[in-house]
Amino acid sequence: MVATAAASAFFPVSSPSGDSVAKTKNLGSANLGGIKSKSSSGSLQVKANAQAPSKINGTSVGLTTPAESLKNGDISTSSPPPRTFINQLPDWSMLLAAITTIFLAAEKQWMMLDWKPRRSDMLVDPFGIGKIVQDGFIFRQNFSIRSYEIGADGTASIETLMNHLQETALNHVMTAGLLDAGFGATPAMAKKNLIWVVTRMQVVVDRYPTWNDVVNVETWVSASGKNGMRRDWLIRNAKTGETLTRATSLWVMMNKLTRRLSKMPDEVRQEIEPYFLNSDPVVDEDSRKLPKLGDSTADYVRRGLTPRWSDLDVNQHVNNVKYIGWILEVDFLFSLYLVF
């Protein structure tokens, strides 16, 4: 129906033949689609005024019958008007009607789609950037565990959790309005070419989340000595509130040009001190130090390990999460070697 209307707007209609014109003799008293002309009967009648188009394809078409033509003395056929650009334009109203019909049909189909969530837990928005809560000291963000973030055992890998910790730390700085350049660098740090590096991290995992779980991550910062900063995290199940992971870390500053550790400038301290929360670490500090490993002290050694481009972050150094992945990969390979 829509296609027919659109086609009739662009393609001309052939002129009626003489026989068809002759058949219009009694058009004035004909039944037009169930609407009758006025009669002398007492029933309710409706008078219909039908008007045929004056031109079809540039040719005048009248409803005068041959008898009426003889009565009026008009026995000659008038010549058609000259064909011009104006009277050959398509009927744009028909095209507009066709387009409107198509859009109305599409809108009806769209409204019939059932987009509403089928479970109440699907109402949780796991993709939000997060927000600062508790008087501006704690940053909170949700994450959904994707299928590519789980391991062979069906649970999220430690690398997934570490990436969540790192992401919330950066989003915390950005939401607070302190992010300038690099990973977590403030404006004062950027002027002095300083970046944050983690020197110690303790992570305690009580239970790993599984695919399609939504976890809630909270993080905050505290002072640590004169030149350091401590950052803590809590990871909970967003639905049940169960604590899944606790983590604490120590961060210091490094000059990204000289690659040497740096003291915390007063300008930087003034920027970040308003966000320090006076709290104890969520994980008891483990004072044990890892021994330096070498060819003679390490249980397993893998040589030829070269950082790839994908191992570097925006600070142009191997990200701490990548180191964890390397350690786990080496341990896994040697475990396979011992088994086989």
Side-chain angles (χ1 to χ4, degrees), residues 193-197 253-262 312-318:
N193 293 317
L194 297 176
I195 58 176
W196 288 109
V197 292
M253 293 187 179
M254 183 180 74
N255 189 299
K256 67 179 181 180
L257 300 179
T258 63
R259 296 293 169 174
R260 295 180 179 274
L261 298 182
S262 171
L312 305 180
D313 57 25
V314 296
N315 290 330
Q316 301 298 313
H317 78 287
V318 177

Side-chain angles (χ1 to χ4, degrees), residues 48-309:
N49 294 325
Q51 182 178 359
S54 60
K55 293 181 180 181
I56 297 180
N57 196 23
T59 304
S60 299
V61 178
L63 297 177
T64 306
T65 62
E68 292 173 348
S69 298
L70 292 174
K71 182 178 180 181
N72 297 331
D74 185 13
I75 58 176
S76 62
T77 304
S78 60
S79 60
R83 299 175 64 87
T84 63
F85 173 76
I86 298 299
N87 60 18
Q88 295 188 66
L89 288 175
D91 189 351
W92 295 107
S93 61
M94 297 294 293
L95 177 61
L96 180 60
I99 295 177
T100 303
T101 304
I102 295 175
F103 274 95
L104 290 176
E107 182 182 12
K108 183 178 180 180
Q109 292 296 325
W110 176 259
M111 295 299 294
M112 293 176 63
L113 293 176
D114 184 13
W115 56 269
K116 296 181 181 180
R118 299 182 182 276
R119 302 196 315 266
S120 59
D121 59 334
M122 293 177 66
L123 294 173
V124 178
D125 178 19
F127 311 109
I129 194 60
K131 58 183 178 180
I132 296 179
V133 297
Q134 295 191 14
D135 298 328
F137 291 108
I138 296 179
F139 180 79
R140 179 182 298 161
Q141 183 175 355
N142 287 350
F143 293 92
S144 178
I145 305 301
R146 274 79 168 185
S147 59
Y148 52 82
E149 294 176 325
I150 62 176
D153 58 352
T155 62
S157 64
I158 186 63
E159 290 181 83
T160 296
L161 300 182
M162 297 296 293
N163 279 323
H164 290 168
L165 302 185
Q166 180 173 264
E167 184 71 10
T168 51
L170 294 175
N171 290 337
H172 184 191
V173 179
M174 179 178 65
T175 306
L178 297 177
L179 187 63
D180 187 273
F183 262 19
T186 66
M189 293 174 60
K191 292 179 180 179
K192 297 180 179 295
N193 293 317
L194 297 176
I195 58 176
W196 288 109
V197 292
V198 59
T199 60
R200 181 184 301 173
M201 180 174 287
Q202 293 177 245
V203 181
V204 177
V205 180
D206 297 325
R207 186 177 69 83
Y208 287 94
T210 60
W211 172 54
N212 210 32
D213 281 349
V214 177
V215 296
N216 177 272
V217 184
E218 291 185 348
T219 183
W220 59 94
V221 291
S222 304
S224 179
K226 294 182 178 180
N227 298 306
M229 179 185 73
R230 193 187 79 241
R231 178 174 287 277
D232 292 346
W233 293 271
L234 272 179
I235 300 181
R236 298 186 179 93
N237 185 299
K239 185 177 180 180
T240 64
E242 175 192 2
T243 299
L244 304 177
T245 303
R246 295 167 292 141
T248 186
S249 59
L250 180 62
W251 299 73
V252 295
M253 293 187 179
M254 183 180 74
N255 189 299
K256 67 179 181 180
L257 300 179
T258 63
R259 296 293 169 174
R260 295 180 179 274
L261 298 182
S262 171
K263 294 182 179 181
M264 183 182 296
D266 293 335
E267 300 91 327
V268 177
R269 191 182 305 276
Q270 293 174 1
E271 285 180 326
I272 63 178
E273 270 191 346
Y275 298 93
F276 283 171
L277 179 63
N278 186 15
S279 63
D280 296 328
V282 296
V283 179
D284 294 334
E285 182 179 358
D286 191 343
S287 59
R288 293 178 298 173
K289 293 185 178 181
L290 295 176
K292 292 185 177 181
L293 299 179
D295 293 346
S296 58
T297 57
D299 294 333
Y300 309 116
V301 177
R302 180 180 178 183
R303 303 182 184 278
L305 185 61
T306 304
R308 302 169 299 175
W309 176 256

